[in-house]
Structure formats: structure tokens, C-alpha cells
Amino acid sequence: MDGKTDSIRYVFEALAALVFGHRCVVCGLDMEPGEKYVCRKCLEDMPLTRFWQWDGNPAEKRMEILAGVEHACSLFFYREGSPYRNLIKSIKYHGNTGLAGYLGLMLGSAMSYSGKYSDICAVIPVPLHRRRRRKRGYNQAELVACGIAEALSESRGVKVPVLPRALKRIRHTKTQTRLSGNEKAANVRGAFSLPRIIEFPPGSASPADGLFHVLLVDDVLTTGATLASCIGPLFTQRNIAVSVATLGYTE
Ligand SMILES: [Zn+2]
């Protein structure tokens, strides 16, 4: 990393400390020097899914009913009433963009260790509609995707690109929070499109099946309806296989 990037990062971290204070996002208590976003105790107690090392895990089973995926994993269980829900809240509603990259990196490192994601050649975030993106100022899924791609790139020694414009949200959808499963599926059906053929670097197809394995990323996996409505358009390009990764997983 060059000096300029270092100093930019330093400025951002100093600003983040001013805005968010030096408090743990999960428990809200003051953190020790050297701790970042989440205190050591909350990191240790994090309800990790460990789906990355588990073939046929619940996320894969849930996605399998909706769309064919190679693998699926999430970082932590996103449970009702759990203080770990603050992680997603802080990213989505409090502008804690650094936390999204940090958790993405954590998930990406775990995925790298599992060896199951070693043929991912591009990371594609679930897009926000441009109106919502403008309002929020960023797409949280894209920030998570960048963290995951950084970890995958580092472990492979090959740059794994993030393709934030591979998919397009063509319909502004209602917020999913208060909808039932069926309503969610209807709400996002036909909401995404693949505006153009995705070009992959030569030699990046999986040696196993000759397909380009992409990783679709979102913040939380609930019913899987949003991810499934992204996978449909991706599969119109017939040389693609899809895996999915999210930070939170709702049981
Ligand atoms: Zn804590």
C-alpha cells in the first residue's frame, strides 16, 4: 500500500472514530485500543454459521429450492432480539461503510480457508435501485462484496474483480422487512436484469466444468427471494455458475 492510500485510510479511520466513537457496534461498550468495530468479547461470541465448511448447509438447501447454486454461506446467524443485528443496522442505516468491508473480509477469509470458493472469478453484489442508492449514498452489498473479493484475491494471488454493474435493478421495490415470504417473492420477481453479457478474463473459467463461477453477495439471506431473482437473469448467460454469500442468515 502506498503512502497516499495509507494517509487516506488514516483520515477515514479518524473520521469514523469521531462519528461512531470507539464503541463496540454489538454491545455498545467502550473498546480497548486496537479493537475495531466489534470488541474482542463480541467477536469471540459471534454466532457464526460455519456454513462455508458445511456441504448441504441450510443456506444451500434454502437456495436450492429457488435456484440452482453451487455453494451458499453466511457469516453469522441473524436472530430476532440478538445484539448482532446491530451489525446490519449500523451498515444499512447508520452509514458505517467501513464495517461492511471489515465483515466482508472476515467472511471472505473463512471462505478462502474452506477451499470451496477457490474458482470464483468475479463477485457480483445485489444492486440497489438507483433511487435508493442515491438516498443512502452507497450499496451495502457492494461494500461487503469488496471485502470478500479482497480476501479471495489475497488467498489466490489473483485479482478477483467486483462487478457492481453486472446486474441492474429495473424496478423500485417496496422494502422487504414487513412482507411475508410469498409477498417478498412477488415483490422482487422481475426486479433485476442482466443488461449485457458479462466478459470474464481469459483463463478464469473453472477447470472442473468450464463455467465461470460468480459469487452473488447480499447483506442478509432471509427467504432467498431477492437472491433467486438475481440468479434468474444471470443464468440467461449460459456459461455461468452461481454461489451466494451474505453476512446475516435468518433461520
Ligand atoms: Zn462488544
Side-chain angles (χ1 to χ4, degrees), residues 163-240:
L163 308 176
R165 275 173 287 278
L167 285 167
K168 194 169 181 217
R169 196 157 198 143
I170 48 179
R171 202 152 51 72
H172 186 64
T173 51
K174 282 185 273 184
T175 173
Q176 299 269 80
T177 326
R178 285 176 222 290
L179 302 178
S180 73
N182 286 342
E183 287 170 338
K184 276 184 189 177
N187 188 36
V188 292
R189 199 169 295 137
F192 302 92
S193 77
L194 186 73
R196 65 193 72 80
I197 296 287
I198 306 170
E199 304 275 355
F200 296 101
S204 62
S206 169
D209 54 16
L211 299 174
F212 294 98
H213 283 209
V214 301
L215 184 74
L216 182 64
V217 173
D218 205 1
D219 48 6
V220 178
L221 170 52
T222 308
T223 62
T226 304
L227 290 161
S229 53
C230 287
I231 294 171
L234 284 174
F235 276 165
T236 59
Q237 183 168 339
R238 303 188 56 160
N239 58 356
I240 286 182

Coordinates of all heavy atoms in Angstrom, one line a residue, residues 163-240:
L163 N -18.0 -6.7 -9.7 CA -18.7 -6.2 -10.8 C -20.1 -5.6 -10.4 O -21.1 -6.2 -10.5 CB -19.0 -7.3 -11.9 CG -17.8 -8.2 -12.3 CD1 -18.2 -9.3 -13.3 CD2 -16.7 -7.3 -13.0
P164 N -20.0 -4.3 -9.9 CA -21.3 -3.7 -9.3 C -22.3 -3.4 -10.4 O -23.5 -3.2 -10.0 CB -20.8 -2.5 -8.7 CG -19.4 -2.2 -9.2 CD -18.9 -3.4 -9.8
R165 N -22.0 -3.4 -11.6 CA -23.0 -3.1 -12.7 C -23.4 -4.3 -13.5 O -24.0 -4.1 -14.5 CB -22.5 -1.9 -13.5 CG -22.9 -0.6 -12.9 CD -22.2 0.6 -13.7 NE -20.8 0.6 -13.5 CZ -20.2 1.2 -12.4 NH1 -21.0 1.8 -11.5 NH2 -18.9 1.2 -12.3
A166 N -23.0 -5.5 -13.1 CA -23.3 -6.7 -13.9 C -24.8 -6.9 -13.9 O -25.4 -7.2 -15.0 CB -22.6 -7.9 -13.3
L167 N -25.5 -6.7 -12.8 CA -26.9 -6.8 -12.7 C -27.5 -5.4 -12.5 O -26.8 -4.5 -12.0 CB -27.3 -7.6 -11.5 CG -27.1 -9.1 -11.6 CD1 -27.3 -9.7 -10.2 CD2 -28.1 -9.7 -12.5
K168 N -28.7 -5.2 -13.0 CA -29.4 -3.9 -12.9 C -30.7 -4.1 -12.2 O -31.5 -5.1 -12.5 CB -29.6 -3.3 -14.2 CG -29.9 -1.9 -14.2 CD -29.8 -1.2 -15.6 CE -30.2 0.2 -15.3 NZ -30.9 0.9 -16.3
R169 N -31.0 -3.2 -11.2 CA -32.4 -3.3 -10.6 C -33.3 -2.5 -11.5 O -33.1 -1.2 -11.6 CB -32.3 -2.7 -9.2 CG -33.5 -3.1 -8.4 CD -33.1 -3.1 -6.9 NE -34.1 -3.8 -6.1 CZ -33.8 -4.5 -5.0 NH1 -32.5 -4.6 -4.7 NH2 -34.7 -5.1 -4.3
I170 N -34.2 -3.1 -12.1 CA -35.0 -2.4 -13.1 C -36.3 -1.9 -12.5 O -37.1 -1.2 -13.1 CB -35.3 -3.2 -14.4 CG1 -35.8 -4.6 -14.0 CG2 -34.1 -3.3 -15.3 CD1 -36.1 -5.5 -15.2
R171 N -36.6 -2.4 -11.3 CA -37.9 -2.0 -10.7 C -37.6 -1.6 -9.3 O -36.9 -2.3 -8.6 CB -38.9 -3.2 -10.7 CG -40.3 -2.8 -10.6 CD -41.2 -3.8 -11.3 NE -40.9 -5.2 -10.9 CZ -41.2 -5.7 -9.7 NH1 -41.8 -5.0 -8.8 NH2 -41.0 -7.0 -9.4
H172 N -38.2 -0.4 -8.9 CA -38.0 0.0 -7.5 C -39.0 -0.8 -6.7 O -40.2 -0.9 -6.9 CB -38.4 1.5 -7.4 CG -38.2 2.1 -6.1 ND1 -36.9 2.2 -5.5 CD2 -39.0 2.6 -5.2 CE1 -37.0 2.8 -4.3 NE2 -38.3 3.0 -4.1
T173 N -38.5 -1.6 -5.7 CA -39.4 -2.5 -4.9 C -39.6 -1.9 -3.5 O -38.8 -1.1 -3.0 CB -38.7 -3.9 -4.8 OG1 -37.4 -3.7 -4.3 CG2 -38.7 -4.6 -6.1
K174 N -40.7 -2.3 -2.9 CA -41.0 -1.9 -1.6 C -40.0 -2.5 -0.6 O -39.4 -3.6 -0.9 CB -42.4 -2.5 -1.2 CG -43.6 -1.7 -1.7 CD -44.9 -2.2 -1.2 CE -45.4 -3.4 -2.0 NZ -46.6 -3.9 -1.6
T175 N -39.8 -1.9 0.5 CA -38.9 -2.5 1.5 C -39.5 -3.9 1.9 O -40.7 -4.0 2.1 CB -38.6 -1.6 2.7 OG1 -37.9 -2.3 3.6 CG2 -39.9 -1.0 3.3
Q176 N -38.6 -4.9 2.0 CA -39.0 -6.3 2.2 C -39.4 -6.6 3.7 O -40.0 -7.6 3.9 CB -37.8 -7.2 1.8 CG -37.4 -7.1 0.4 CD -38.1 -8.1 -0.5 OE1 -39.2 -7.8 -0.9 NE2 -37.5 -9.2 -0.8
T177 N -39.0 -5.7 4.6 CA -39.0 -6.0 6.0 C -40.3 -6.6 6.5 O -40.4 -7.5 7.2 CB -38.6 -4.8 6.8 OG1 -37.6 -4.1 6.1 CG2 -38.0 -5.2 8.2
R178 N -41.4 -5.9 6.1 CA -42.7 -6.3 6.7 C -43.5 -7.2 5.8 O -44.7 -7.5 6.1 CB -43.5 -5.0 6.9 CG -43.1 -4.3 8.1 CD -43.8 -3.0 8.3 NE -42.9 -1.9 8.7 CZ -42.4 -1.8 9.9 NH1 -42.6 -2.7 10.8 NH2 -41.5 -0.8 10.1
L179 N -42.9 -7.8 4.8 CA -43.7 -8.7 3.9 C -43.5 -10.1 4.3 O -42.5 -10.5 4.8 CB -43.2 -8.5 2.4 CG -43.2 -7.1 1.8 CD1 -42.7 -7.1 0.4 CD2 -44.7 -6.5 1.8
S180 N -44.5 -10.9 3.9 CA -44.4 -12.4 4.2 C -43.6 -13.0 3.1 O -43.3 -12.3 2.1 CB -45.8 -13.0 4.1 OG -46.3 -13.0 2.8
G181 N -43.3 -14.3 3.2 CA -42.4 -15.0 2.2 C -43.0 -14.8 0.8 O -42.2 -14.5 -0.1
N182 N -44.3 -15.2 0.6 CA -44.9 -15.1 -0.7 C -44.9 -13.7 -1.3 O -44.7 -13.5 -2.4 CB -46.3 -15.7 -0.7 CG -46.3 -17.2 -0.6 OD1 -45.3 -17.8 -0.8 ND2 -47.4 -17.7 -0.1
E183 N -45.2 -12.7 -0.4 CA -45.2 -11.3 -0.8 C -43.8 -10.9 -1.2 O -43.7 -10.1 -2.2 CB -45.7 -10.4 0.4 CG -47.2 -10.6 0.6 CD -47.7 -9.9 1.9 OE1 -46.8 -9.7 2.8 OE2 -48.8 -9.6 2.0
K184 N -42.8 -11.4 -0.5 CA -41.4 -11.0 -0.8 C -41.1 -11.5 -2.2 O -40.5 -10.8 -3.0 CB -40.4 -11.6 0.2 CG -40.3 -10.8 1.4 CD -39.2 -11.4 2.3 CE -39.3 -10.6 3.6 NZ -38.4 -11.1 4.6
A185 N -41.4 -12.7 -2.5 CA -41.1 -13.3 -3.8 C -41.8 -12.5 -4.9 O -41.2 -12.2 -5.9 CB -41.6 -14.8 -3.9
A186 N -43.1 -12.2 -4.7 CA -43.8 -11.4 -5.7 C -43.2 -10.0 -5.9 O -43.1 -9.5 -7.0 CB -45.3 -11.3 -5.3
N187 N -42.8 -9.4 -4.7 CA -42.2 -8.1 -4.7 C -41.0 -7.9 -5.6 O -40.8 -6.9 -6.2 CB -42.0 -7.7 -3.3 CG -41.6 -6.2 -3.1 OD1 -42.1 -5.4 -3.8 ND2 -40.7 -6.0 -2.2
V188 N -40.1 -9.0 -5.6 CA -38.8 -8.9 -6.3 C -38.8 -9.6 -7.6 O -37.9 -9.5 -8.4 CB -37.6 -9.4 -5.4 CG1 -37.4 -8.5 -4.3 CG2 -37.9 -10.8 -5.0
R189 N -39.9 -10.3 -8.0 CA -40.0 -11.0 -9.2 C -39.8 -10.0 -10.4 O -40.5 -9.0 -10.5 CB -41.3 -11.8 -9.4 CG -41.2 -12.9 -10.4 CD -42.4 -13.8 -10.3 NE -42.5 -14.5 -9.0 CZ -43.6 -14.7 -8.3 NH1 -44.7 -14.2 -8.7 NH2 -43.5 -15.4 -7.2
G190 N -38.8 -10.3 -11.3 CA -38.6 -9.5 -12.4 C -38.0 -8.1 -12.1 O -38.0 -7.2 -12.9
A191 N -37.4 -8.0 -10.9 CA -36.9 -6.7 -10.4 C -35.5 -6.5 -11.0 O -35.0 -5.4 -10.9 CB -36.9 -6.6 -8.9
F192 N -34.8 -7.6 -11.4 CA -33.4 -7.4 -11.9 C -33.3 -7.9 -13.3 O -34.0 -8.7 -13.8 CB -32.5 -8.3 -11.0 CG -32.6 -8.0 -9.6 CD1 -33.5 -8.6 -8.7 CD2 -31.8 -7.0 -9.0 CE1 -33.6 -8.3 -7.4 CE2 -31.9 -6.6 -7.7 CZ -32.8 -7.3 -6.8
S193 N -32.2 -7.3 -14.0 CA -31.9 -7.8 -15.3 C -30.4 -7.8 -15.5 O -29.7 -7.2 -14.7 CB -32.6 -6.8 -16.4 OG -31.8 -5.6 -16.5
L194 N -30.0 -8.5 -16.5 CA -28.6 -8.6 -16.9 C -28.5 -7.7 -18.2 O -28.9 -8.1 -19.3 CB -28.3 -10.1 -17.2 CG -26.8 -10.4 -17.5 CD1 -26.0 -10.3 -16.3 CD2 -26.7 -11.8 -18.2
P195 N -28.0 -6.5 -18.0 CA -28.1 -5.6 -19.1 C -27.2 -5.9 -20.3 O -27.5 -5.6 -21.4 CB -27.7 -4.2 -18.5 CG -27.1 -4.5 -17.2 CD -27.5 -5.9 -16.8
R196 N -26.1 -6.6 -20.0 CA -25.2 -7.0 -21.1 C -24.5 -8.3 -20.7 O -24.4 -8.6 -19.5 CB -24.2 -5.9 -21.5 CG -23.2 -5.6 -20.4 CD -22.5 -4.3 -20.7 NE -23.4 -3.1 -20.5 CZ -23.7 -2.6 -19.4 NH1 -23.2 -3.1 -18.2 NH2 -24.5 -1.5 -19.3
I197 N -23.9 -9.0 -21.7 CA -23.1 -10.2 -21.5 C -21.9 -9.8 -20.6 O -21.3 -8.8 -20.9 CB -22.6 -10.8 -22.8 CG1 -23.8 -11.3 -23.6 CG2 -21.6 -11.9 -22.6 CD1 -24.5 -12.5 -23.1
I198 N -21.7 -10.6 -19.6 CA -20.5 -10.3 -18.7 C -19.3 -10.9 -19.4 O -19.3 -12.1 -19.7 CB -20.7 -10.9 -17.3 CG1 -22.0 -10.4 -16.7 CG2 -19.5 -10.6 -16.4 CD1 -22.4 -11.2 -15.4
E199 N -18.3 -10.1 -19.5 CA -17.0 -10.6 -20.1 C -16.1 -11.0 -19.0 O -15.9 -10.2 -18.0 CB -16.3 -9.5 -20.9 CG -17.2 -8.9 -22.0 CD -17.1 -9.7 -23.3 OE1 -16.3 -10.6 -23.3 OE2 -17.8 -9.3 -24.2
F200 N -15.6 -12.2 -19.0 CA -14.6 -12.7 -18.0 C -13.2 -12.7 -18.6 O -13.1 -13.0 -19.8 CB -15.0 -14.0 -17.5 CG -16.4 -14.0 -16.8 CD1 -17.5 -14.5 -17.5 CD2 -16.5 -13.6 -15.5 CE1 -18.7 -14.5 -16.8 CE2 -17.7 -13.5 -14.9 CZ -18.9 -14.0 -15.6
P201 N -12.2 -12.5 -17.7 CA -10.8 -12.6 -18.3 C -10.6 -14.0 -18.8 O -11.1 -15.0 -18.2 CB -9.9 -12.3 -17.1 CG -10.8 -11.8 -16.0 CD -12.2 -12.2 -16.3
P202 N -9.8 -14.2 -19.9 CA -9.5 -15.5 -20.4 C -8.8 -16.3 -19.3 O -8.0 -15.8 -18.5 CB -8.5 -15.2 -21.5 CG -8.4 -13.7 -21.7 CD -9.1 -13.1 -20.6
G203 N -9.1 -17.6 -19.3 CA -8.5 -18.5 -18.3 C -9.1 -18.5 -16.9 O -8.6 -19.1 -16.0
S204 N -10.2 -17.7 -16.8 CA -10.8 -17.7 -15.4 C -12.0 -18.7 -15.3 O -12.6 -18.7 -14.2 CB -11.2 -16.3 -15.1 OG -12.2 -15.8 -15.9
A205 N -12.3 -19.4 -16.3 CA -13.3 -20.4 -16.2 C -12.9 -21.6 -15.2 O -11.7 -21.8 -15.1 CB -13.7 -21.0 -17.5
S206 N -13.8 -22.2 -14.6 CA -13.4 -23.3 -13.6 C -12.9 -24.5 -14.4 O -13.5 -24.9 -15.4 CB -14.7 -23.7 -12.8 OG -14.4 -24.9 -12.1
P207 N -11.8 -25.0 -14.0 CA -11.2 -26.2 -14.7 C -12.2 -27.4 -14.6 O -12.2 -28.2 -15.5 CB -9.9 -26.4 -14.0 CG -9.8 -25.5 -12.9 CD -10.9 -24.5 -12.9
A208 N -13.0 -27.4 -13.6 CA -13.9 -28.6 -13.3 C -15.0 -28.7 -14.4 O -15.2 -29.8 -14.9 CB -14.5 -28.5 -11.9
D209 N -15.6 -27.5 -14.7 CA -16.8 -27.6 -15.6 C -16.8 -26.6 -16.7 O -17.7 -26.6 -17.5 CB -18.1 -27.5 -14.8 CG -18.1 -26.2 -13.9 OD1 -17.3 -25.3 -14.2 OD2 -18.9 -26.1 -13.0
G210 N -15.7 -25.8 -16.8 CA -15.6 -24.9 -17.9 C -16.5 -23.7 -17.8 O -16.6 -22.8 -18.6
L211 N -17.2 -23.6 -16.6 CA -18.1 -22.4 -16.4 C -17.4 -21.3 -15.6 O -16.5 -21.6 -14.9 CB -19.4 -22.9 -15.6 CG -20.3 -24.0 -16.3 CD1 -21.4 -24.4 -15.4 CD2 -20.8 -23.4 -17.6
F212 N -18.0 -20.1 -15.7 CA -17.4 -19.0 -14.9 C -18.2 -19.0 -13.6 O -19.4 -18.8 -13.6 CB -17.5 -17.7 -15.7 CG -16.7 -17.7 -16.9 CD1 -17.2 -17.9 -18.2 CD2 -15.3 -17.4 -16.8 CE1 -16.4 -17.9 -19.3 CE2 -14.5 -17.4 -17.9 CZ -15.0 -17.7 -19.2
H213 N -17.5 -19.2 -12.5 CA -18.2 -19.2 -11.2 C -18.2 -17.8 -10.6 O -17.2 -17.3 -10.3 CB -17.5 -20.2 -10.3 CG -17.8 -21.6 -10.6 ND1 -17.8 -22.6 -9.7 CD2 -18.2 -22.2 -11.8 CE1 -18.1 -23.8 -10.2 NE2 -18.4 -23.6 -11.5
V214 N -19.4 -17.3 -10.4 CA -19.5 -16.0 -9.8 C -20.1 -16.1 -8.4 O -20.8 -17.1 -8.1 CB -20.4 -15.0 -10.7 CG1 -19.8 -14.9 -12.1 CG2 -21.8 -15.4 -10.8
L215 N -19.8 -15.1 -7.6 CA -20.3 -15.1 -6.2 C -21.3 -13.9 -6.1 O -20.9 -12.8 -6.3 CB -19.2 -15.0 -5.2 CG -19.6 -15.0 -3.8 CD1 -20.0 -16.5 -3.4 CD2 -18.5 -14.5 -2.8
L216 N -22.6 -14.2 -5.8 CA -23.6 -13.2 -5.7 C -23.6 -12.8 -4.2 O -23.7 -13.7 -3.3 CB -24.9 -13.8 -6.2 CG -26.1 -12.9 -6.2 CD1 -25.9 -11.7 -7.1 CD2 -27.4 -13.7 -6.6
V217 N -23.6 -11.6 -3.9 CA -23.5 -11.1 -2.5 C -24.6 -10.2 -2.1 O -25.0 -9.3 -2.8 CB -22.1 -10.4 -2.2 CG1 -22.1 -9.8 -0.8 CG2 -21.0 -11.4 -2.5
D218 N -25.2 -10.5 -0.9 CA -26.2 -9.6 -0.3 C -25.9 -9.4 1.2 O -25.1 -10.1 1.7 CB -27.6 -10.1 -0.6 CG -28.7 -9.0 -0.5 OD1 -28.3 -7.8 -0.3 OD2 -29.9 -9.3 -0.7
D219 N -26.6 -8.5 1.9 CA -26.3 -8.3 3.3 C -26.9 -9.5 4.1 O -26.2 -10.0 5.0 CB -26.8 -6.9 3.8 CG -28.2 -6.6 3.4 OD1 -28.9 -7.4 2.8 OD2 -28.6 -5.4 3.6
V220 N -28.2 -9.8 3.9 CA -28.8 -10.9 4.7 C -29.6 -11.8 3.8 O -30.2 -11.4 2.8 CB -29.8 -10.2 5.7 CG1 -30.5 -11.3 6.5 CG2 -29.1 -9.3 6.6
L221 N -29.5 -13.1 4.1 CA -30.3 -14.2 3.4 C -31.5 -14.5 4.3 O -31.4 -15.0 5.4 CB -29.4 -15.4 3.2 CG -30.1 -16.7 2.7 CD1 -31.0 -16.5 1.5 CD2 -29.1 -17.8 2.4
T222 N -32.7 -14.1 3.9 CA -33.9 -14.4 4.6 C -34.7 -15.5 3.9 O -34.4 -16.6 4.1 CB -34.7 -13.1 4.9 OG1 -33.9 -12.1 5.4 CG2 -35.9 -13.3 5.8
T223 N -35.6 -15.1 3.0 CA -36.3 -16.1 2.2 C -35.5 -16.6 1.0 O -35.7 -17.7 0.5 CB -37.6 -15.6 1.7 OG1 -37.4 -14.5 0.8 CG2 -38.5 -15.1 2.8
G224 N -34.5 -15.8 0.6 CA -33.7 -16.1 -0.6 C -34.4 -15.6 -1.9 O -33.8 -15.7 -3.0
A225 N -35.5 -14.9 -1.7 CA -36.3 -14.4 -2.9 C -35.5 -13.4 -3.7 O -35.4 -13.5 -5.0 CB -37.6 -13.8 -2.5
T226 N -34.8 -12.5 -3.0 CA -34.0 -11.5 -3.8 C -32.9 -12.1 -4.5 O -32.7 -11.8 -5.7 CB -33.5 -10.4 -2.8 OG1 -34.6 -9.9 -2.0 CG2 -32.8 -9.3 -3.5
L227 N -32.1 -13.0 -3.8 CA -31.0 -13.6 -4.5 C -31.5 -14.4 -5.7 O -30.9 -14.4 -6.8 CB -30.3 -14.5 -3.5 CG -29.5 -13.8 -2.4 CD1 -29.2 -14.7 -1.2 CD2 -28.2 -13.2 -3.0
A228 N -32.6 -15.2 -5.5 CA -33.1 -16.0 -6.6 C -33.5 -15.1 -7.8 O -33.3 -15.5 -8.9 CB -34.3 -16.8 -6.1
S229 N -34.1 -14.0 -7.5 CA -34.5 -13.2 -8.7 C -33.3 -12.5 -9.4 O -33.4 -11.9 -10.4 CB -35.6 -12.2 -8.3 OG -35.2 -11.4 -7.2
C230 N -32.1 -12.5 -8.7 CA -30.9 -12.1 -9.4 C -30.3 -13.3 -10.2 O -29.6 -13.1 -11.2 CB -29.9 -11.7 -8.4 SG -30.2 -10.1 -7.7
I231 N -30.5 -14.5 -9.7 CA -29.8 -15.7 -10.3 C -30.5 -16.0 -11.7 O -29.8 -16.3 -12.6 CB -29.9 -16.9 -9.3 CG1 -29.0 -16.6 -8.1 CG2 -29.4 -18.2 -10.0 CD1 -29.1 -17.6 -7.0
G232 N -31.8 -15.8 -11.7 CA -32.6 -16.0 -13.0 C -31.9 -15.3 -14.2 O -31.4 -15.9 -15.1
P233 N -31.7 -13.9 -14.1 CA -31.1 -13.2 -15.2 C -29.6 -13.6 -15.4 O -29.2 -13.7 -16.5 CB -31.1 -11.7 -14.7 CG -32.2 -11.7 -13.7 CD -32.3 -13.0 -13.1
L234 N -28.9 -14.0 -14.3 CA -27.5 -14.4 -14.5 C -27.5 -15.7 -15.3 O -26.6 -15.9 -16.2 CB -26.8 -14.7 -13.2 CG -26.4 -13.4 -12.4 CD1 -25.9 -13.8 -11.0 CD2 -25.3 -12.7 -13.1
F235 N -28.4 -16.6 -15.1 CA -28.4 -17.9 -15.8 C -28.8 -17.7 -17.3 O -28.7 -18.7 -18.1 CB -29.4 -18.9 -15.1 CG -28.7 -19.6 -14.0 CD1 -29.5 -20.3 -13.1 CD2 -27.4 -19.6 -13.8 CE1 -28.9 -21.0 -12.0 CE2 -26.8 -20.3 -12.7 CZ -27.6 -21.0 -11.8
T236 N -29.3 -16.6 -17.7 CA -29.6 -16.4 -19.1 C -28.3 -16.4 -19.9 O -28.2 -16.6 -21.1 CB -30.4 -15.1 -19.4 OG1 -29.6 -14.0 -19.0 CG2 -31.7 -15.1 -18.8
Q237 N -27.2 -16.1 -19.2 CA -25.8 -16.2 -19.8 C -25.4 -17.6 -19.4 O -25.1 -17.9 -18.3 CB -24.9 -15.2 -19.2 CG -23.5 -15.3 -19.8 CD -22.6 -14.1 -19.5 OE1 -23.1 -13.0 -19.2 NE2 -21.3 -14.3 -19.7
R238 N -25.3 -18.5 -20.4 CA -25.3 -19.9 -20.1 C -24.0 -20.5 -19.6 O -23.9 -21.6 -19.2 CB -25.8 -20.7 -21.3 CG -27.2 -20.2 -21.7 CD -27.8 -21.0 -22.8 NE -27.8 -22.4 -22.4 CZ -28.7 -23.3 -22.9 NH1 -29.5 -22.9 -23.8 NH2 -28.6 -24.6 -22.6
N239 N -22.9 -19.6 -19.7 CA -21.6 -20.1 -19.2 C -21.3 -19.8 -17.8 O -20.2 -19.7 -17.4 CB -20.5 -19.6 -20.1 CG -20.5 -18.0 -20.2 OD1 -21.3 -17.4 -19.6 ND2 -19.5 -17.5 -20.9
I240 N -22.4 -19.5 -17.0 CA -22.2 -19.0 -15.6 C -22.7 -20.0 -14.6 O -23.7 -20.6 -14.8 CB -22.9 -17.7 -15.4 CG1 -22.1 -16.5 -16.1 CG2 -23.1 -17.3 -13.9 CD1 -22.7 -15.2 -15.9

